[in-house]
Amino acid sequence: MINNPIFFLGLFSLALQAIPQVASAPHQVPFDQFLATVKAASFPQWKHSAVDNEPSFDQIKTHILDMYSGVGSVVHSFLLDGRYADCIDVNKQPSLAGRQLATAPEAPLNEPPVSPRGPTESGTPVGSPLTQKLKDPFGNDISCPDGTIPFARLTLERITTYPTLAAFFAKSTNGAGQALSAREAEELESRGPSAQPHLYAYGFQQTTNYGGHSWLNLWSPVGDFSLSQQWYVGGSGTSLQTAEGGWIVYPQHFSTQAVLFIFYTPDAYSTGCYNLECKAFVQINNNWYLGGTFDQYSVTGGGQRGFDLQWKLYRGNWWLYLRGASATYDTVGYYPGSVYNGGQLTKNAEIIEYGGEVTRFTTADVWPQMGSGMFPSKGYAQAAFQNTIYYNPRDENEGVGVWSDLTKVDVGSHSCWDINITESAQGGGWGTFFFFGGPGGNTC
Ligand SMILES: *[C@@H]1O[C@H](CO)[C@@H](O)[C@H](O)[C@H]1NC(C)=O
């Protein structure tokens, strides 16, 4: 048997497969060790990073230590996609700043507003990786016990890929993440893409709303920054405010694979942050990992994966709902109304937007793929889509959504991407939906 060359070859190729995994797997870094390393860190050790200078480094280090100051001990951590998550006590999470969850606002429990046409089938939902009984390379469960939430480890390695803490918090390193009125969108289109570092294909509607819903078909396009998301927008100028969520490919910040994300800004993208990276969003559910990869993605010509995402403003707080493979939604958590400083999003949003956004970080980079990298004309199982797009018309428990009536905006060349919106009257079981995306390229 041992002399059998085929068997030998088999062993050899097994070994070849195993080597890169072992070599690239980082050694296990327990939470306490990680935090001790941050405490001991000084700028000279991090001079090689992208950080501007010593004050910027100190600000980053202070932020990390401040975020973890009340977190206490961590009993379980796991590695997913090469990055650590720590399961932290739900009552000790940074956004609660020492308050107990018991004093958290009343959730609009039961189900969030349903689609005007009842349940629909969009493809196979993704399960959250945290509910799949997976193990990391060290044998740790990829899940968090009840009473804890998964908190993506805020490391110096991650934040020091940016010059400053503010650059890390920003939606991307080269400007705003959008959210435009109809007039602004027209202006933007007329100025042409060269004036705008971020390019888009999306649909919007100006309407008083309390959040809304879509099912987001999940892909991992290639590029510096490419996403599919929802925006709920209020105010204007420097008082513009948003609550956002969807999936994003943003390797510098997260991964080359799409991750689940939320984002908010209270002041036209001057401040705000992703996920749990600053003290804002309060997570109450341990099934979902903000900033984490999914275990399955859509396949061209094959299975289509995706998830339901819904934001709902209820009694002053913005609640996030997600639904993957389970029949019911998880109430993931909320942005306390206080993060909006008495601004428009403490009352209601005024615009809904759904679609894709891309940017590139240097003019030497190609513009990323958007969606699946395929044009909308390719249709189901080829092009990316969002469907069952509706908004919540009232601040109420449960309730019924209203189909969105979206106006198309393309920013960038039609040779790079496009969006094809179908309104609810023609949309059948999908209600209002669109296909969007394209290959990107050198000149967009
Ligand atoms: C847009 O979508 C509609 C509905 O799916 C379809 O009939 C139409 O052919 C599409 N148009 C393009 C240009 O892809």
Side-chain angles (χ1 to χ4, degrees):
M1 181 74 150
I2 286 291
N3 291 329
N4 179 338
I6 306 273
F7 178 74
F8 241 93
L9 259 181
L11 265 186
F12 187 61
S13 66
L14 263 181
L16 271 183
Q17 278 163 13
I19 285 165
Q21 278 171 10
V22 169
S24 67
H27 62 287
Q28 193 156 4
V29 184
F31 176 77
D32 290 343
Q33 183 188 326
F34 146 70
L35 207 54
T37 308
V38 176
K39 283 184 182 142
S42 63
F43 180 61
Q45 302 165 300
W46 291 88
K47 263 202 149 102
H48 63 277
S49 71
V51 173
D52 270 350
N53 51 36
E54 188 150 10
S56 294
F57 178 83
D58 290 344
Q59 205 184 15
I60 289 168
K61 176 175 163 177
T62 301
H63 174 66
I64 296 175
L65 296 178
D66 177 49
M67 290 290 282
Y68 287 110
S69 63
V71 160
S73 61
V74 165
V75 291
H76 183 72
S77 305
F78 61 85
L79 193 68
L80 182 63
D81 188 42
R83 291 166 299 138
Y84 272 100
D86 298 302
C87 301
I88 64 173
D89 183 333
V90 64
N91 281 304
K92 292 180 178 169
Q93 62 184 301
S95 296
L96 283 172
R99 295 187 308 276
Q100 288 289 301
L101 196 57
T103 64
E106 179 198 350
L109 285 174
N110 307 319
E111 288 285 281
V114 295
S115 128
R117 211 170 279 148
T120 54
E121 198 53 57
S122 305
T124 316
V126 275
S128 166
L130 271 52
T131 60
Q132 309 297 306
K133 302 200 183 328
L134 304 173
K135 300 257 189 209
D136 78 3
F138 307 110
N140 301 307
D141 290 335
I142 298 183
S143 64
C144 279
D146 288 348
T148 69
I149 55 161
F151 189 89
R153 194 173 280 182
L154 270 177
T155 62
L156 285 167
E157 285 81 357
R158 285 188 65 206
I159 307 183
T160 59
T161 64
Y162 296 84
T164 62
L165 184 62
F168 172 73
F169 285 154
K171 192 158 175 198
S172 86
T173 47
N174 59 348
Q178 89 152 125
L180 308 158
S181 68
R183 185 180 45 73
E184 287 168 326
E186 268 168 39
E187 269 176 27
L188 189 65
E189 273 189 293
S190 66
R191 272 188 288 146
S194 60
Q196 182 64 10
H198 287 237
L199 301 179
Y200 304 95
Y202 67 100
F204 77 94
Q205 180 180 2
Q206 280 178 292
T207 184
T208 296
N209 70 87
Y210 299 81
H213 169 274
S214 68
W215 196 86
L216 296 100
N217 176 218
L218 177 62
W219 295 85
S220 266
V222 175
D224 290 343
F225 180 108
S226 183
L227 60 74
S228 174
Q229 73 160 102
Q230 311 174 358
W231 290 262
Y232 301 95
V233 187
S236 60
T238 54
S239 305
L240 181 134
Q241 305 194 315
T242 68
E244 312 180 16
W247 58 254
I248 185 169
V249 170
Y250 181 7
Q252 181 185 4
H253 203 101
F254 298 111
S255 172
T256 54
Q257 290 187 286
V259 301
L260 176 67
F261 86 95
I262 58 171
F263 187 88
Y264 88 104
T265 180
D267 52 9
Y269 298 97
S270 289
T271 65
C273 73
Y274 283 100
N275 303 341
L276 305 176
E277 294 172 359
C278 64
K279 293 180 184 177
F281 189 78
V282 177
Q283 185 164 344
I284 63 171
N285 176 283
N286 58 349
N287 282 346
W288 295 91
Y289 177 20
L290 296 170
T293 49
F294 297 86
D295 62 326
Q296 287 177 305
Y297 294 84
S298 299
V299 175
T300 303
Q304 296 304 295
R305 301 286 167 174
F307 55 94
D308 289 285
L309 189 154
Q310 179 160 180
W311 281 108
K312 179 184 170 71
L313 175 59
Y314 180 70
R315 301 198 176 165
N317 303 295
W318 281 86
W319 290 87
L320 175 69
Y321 294 89
L322 289 170
R323 182 169 61 180
S326 68
T328 54
Y329 282 90
D330 288 318
T331 309
V332 181
Y334 63 95
Y335 281 123
S338 57
V339 306
Y340 295 109
N341 307 316
Q344 183 59 46
L345 282 206
T346 61
K347 303 175 188 80
N348 60 272
E350 300 168 312
I351 305 176
I352 53 175
E353 301 179 349
Y354 304 83
E357 171 180 0
V358 298
T359 190
R360 59 176 180 176
F361 293 142
T362 76
T363 49
D365 297 349
V366 290
W367 286 97
Q369 295 179 331
M370 186 191 283
S372 67
M374 297 279 206
F375 285 111
S377 57
K378 296 284 186 191
Y380 187 75
Q382 303 283 330
F385 64 93
Q386 289 188 31
N387 70 17
T388 48
I389 303 170
Y390 55 82
Y391 65 88
N392 301 329
R394 280 176 293 277
D395 179 350
E396 63 188 348
N397 209 341
E398 301 183 319
V400 177
V402 175
W403 290 126
S404 308
D405 179 7
L406 298 175
T407 301
K408 162 181 171 165
V409 180
D410 264 328
V411 185
S413 164
H414 287 180
S415 67
C416 291
W417 43 72
D418 202 354
I419 182 168
N420 179 12
I421 297 166
T422 301
E423 296 300 345
S424 59
Q426 284 78 44
W430 278 19
T432 300
F433 71 90
F434 57 77
F435 286 100
F436 75 107
N442 286 311
T443 49
C444 291

